[in-house]
Amino acid sequence: MPMTIPSTDWSDYQAFLAIARTGQLAKAARLLGVDPTTTGRRLRRLEAALSTTLFEQTRSGQELTEAGETLLQSVEQMAAAAGQISERAVAGDGLTGTLRISASEGFGCWFLARHLTDFQARHPHLAIDLVASSGFLSPSRREADVAIMLSRPRKGPLVAHKLSDYTLGLYASRDYLAARPAPEVPADLDEGHALVGYIPDLVYAPELRYLDEIHAGLQATIRSPSITAQHSLVASGAGLGVLPCFMAESDPRLVRVLAECRITRSFWFVTHQDIRKLPRVTQFRQWLDETVQLGEDVLMPGRRAPMDSAA
């Protein structure tokens, strides 16, 4: 049940919310754009006003107490309401504030970043944070407004819908293939070929474990947690590698091998249920749906061509 909120400075509640979302005082301070001392002072002031302890100090950072968990429900509602009021007030002038987007490195850097200027041009007063990395910020903890993920979340206060499927294939550089025979069947990959792929214990999503879908028992010998680094390795002739087609097909240095080895995965649009109706979220979702639909041939090249699927 939500806690009764005493009248105090809204910045104190913002500090509490940032600490709850990030789990660390220093990270919360960076999120707020203030120093950790200020964030700590605001938290202590709020705890004094409530006469309770909101966090416990642990080795990893700050963890919510039972009172903190109760307060979080109310403050999340306050933050969502404040965001809706702010965006409605400026609706005539377009979107304002900040939209933070978390996306996989490949989709963020190789697809979304190439189209995002169109959305920014439509909403020039909106600041856009694009966090494209090996891993995702958490919409559940409100580290991001939107996350483009590789699977539908199974738990948490989240809403999700499927954006699109995309395909991956096996690629090699022209120089690599000039130095040795191209594999004709998947079993050929066991003999005399180097494979580029992920570091097994640093794979951040199970959907990225796909070498066995090409040929059972395949293991990468040149490895990186970064798909951009893997792309560079394959393009430089270090070995063959599985790459998203939307990355590889635009690189003239690369050649598709074993075309029958077609792997299919999906992108999901995920946001926190409390902010799903905010104009900046709904308009970004609509724009992204349209952009992905227009880019279907890039995400799923040869989709209508008859071929076997390894997915």
Side-chain angles (χ1 to χ4, degrees), residues 168-170 186 189 213-214 256-263 308 310:
L168 306 98
L170 188 66
L189 297 172
E213 297 183 30
I214 294 177
R256 181 85 175 264
V257 297
L258 297 178
E260 71 276 12
C261 295
R262 175 187 174 97
I263 297 170
D308 294 333

Side-chain angles (χ1 to χ4, degrees), residues 30-299:
R30 287 196 296 270
L31 186 64
L32 295 169
V34 300
D35 59 80
T37 301
T38 299
T39 304
R41 182 173 65 250
R42 291 174 179 174
L43 173 61
R44 291 191 297 273
R45 187 166 60 194
L46 181 60
E47 289 181 326
L50 293 170
S51 299
T52 191
T53 300
L54 299 173
F55 294 95
E56 292 181 356
Q57 181 67 47
T58 68
R59 288 185 178 181
S60 59
Q62 280 72 34
E63 290 191 3
L64 287 164
T65 62
E66 184 175 351
E69 292 280 4
T70 301
L71 178 64
L72 182 61
Q73 299 178 45
S74 297
V75 177
E76 287 276 14
Q77 294 172 6
M78 291 167 61
Q84 290 175 341
I85 292 170
S86 175
E87 292 191 8
R88 286 169 185 160
V90 297
D93 298 324
L95 301 179
T96 63
T98 300
L99 176 69
R100 177 167 291 181
I101 308 159
S102 174
S104 64
E105 183 183 11
F107 183 78
C109 294
W110 289 83
F111 185 88
L112 186 53
R114 299 184 180 194
H115 297 279
L116 203 54
T117 51
D118 175 61
F119 184 73
Q120 192 275 332
R122 301 184 190 189
H123 307 286
H125 303 296
L126 178 69
I128 301 172
D129 295 343
L130 175 59
V131 184
S133 60
S134 300
F136 300 101
L137 299 181
S138 171
S140 293
R141 299 183 64 177
R142 300 288 293 276
E143 295 172 342
D145 297 308
V146 170
I148 310 304
M149 307 186 74
L150 302 180
S151 63
R152 187 184 195 118
R154 298 181 181 277
K155 60 181 180 179
L158 303 170
V159 290
H161 84 281
K162 187 176 179 179
L163 267 180
S164 173
D165 290 331
Y166 70 100
T167 56
L168 306 98
L170 188 66
Y171 291 87
S173 73
R174 297 181 187 279
D175 291 341
Y176 180 91
L177 294 177
R180 56 188 60 75
E184 297 181 0
V185 294
D188 290 344
L189 297 172
D190 287 329
E191 301 294 333
H193 286 288
L195 287 174
V196 175
Y198 285 98
I199 301 172
D201 58 346
L202 295 181
V203 173
Y204 63 89
E207 291 77 19
L208 301 177
R209 301 183 186 276
Y210 35 57
L211 286 181
D212 274 340
E213 297 183 30
I214 294 177
H215 183 60
L218 283 183
Q219 293 186 358
T221 53
I222 305 175
R223 309 180 298 187
S224 172
S226 165
I227 191 64
T228 300
Q230 291 179 40
H231 170 265
S232 295
L233 286 164
V234 175
S236 68
L240 300 109
V242 175
L243 297 171
C245 294
F246 61 79
M247 291 176 62
E249 294 292 328
S250 63
D251 190 335
R253 298 171 296 175
L254 297 179
V255 175
R256 181 85 175 264
V257 297
L258 297 178
E260 71 276 12
C261 295
R262 175 187 174 97
I263 297 170
T264 302
R265 294 291 188 265
S266 303
F267 289 123
W268 291 80
F269 184 102
V270 181
T271 190
H272 195 285
Q273 63 183 13
D274 288 347
I275 64 170
R276 68 188 187 280
K277 294 183 179 180
L278 289 182
R280 67 177 183 270
V281 173
T282 58
Q283 292 195 37
F284 177 69
R285 171 178 170 171
Q286 180 180 354
W287 172 84
L288 187 56
D289 282 340
E290 294 170 355
T291 301
V292 164
Q293 185 174 6
L294 291 172
E296 180 182 29
D297 290 341
V298 175
L299 294 168

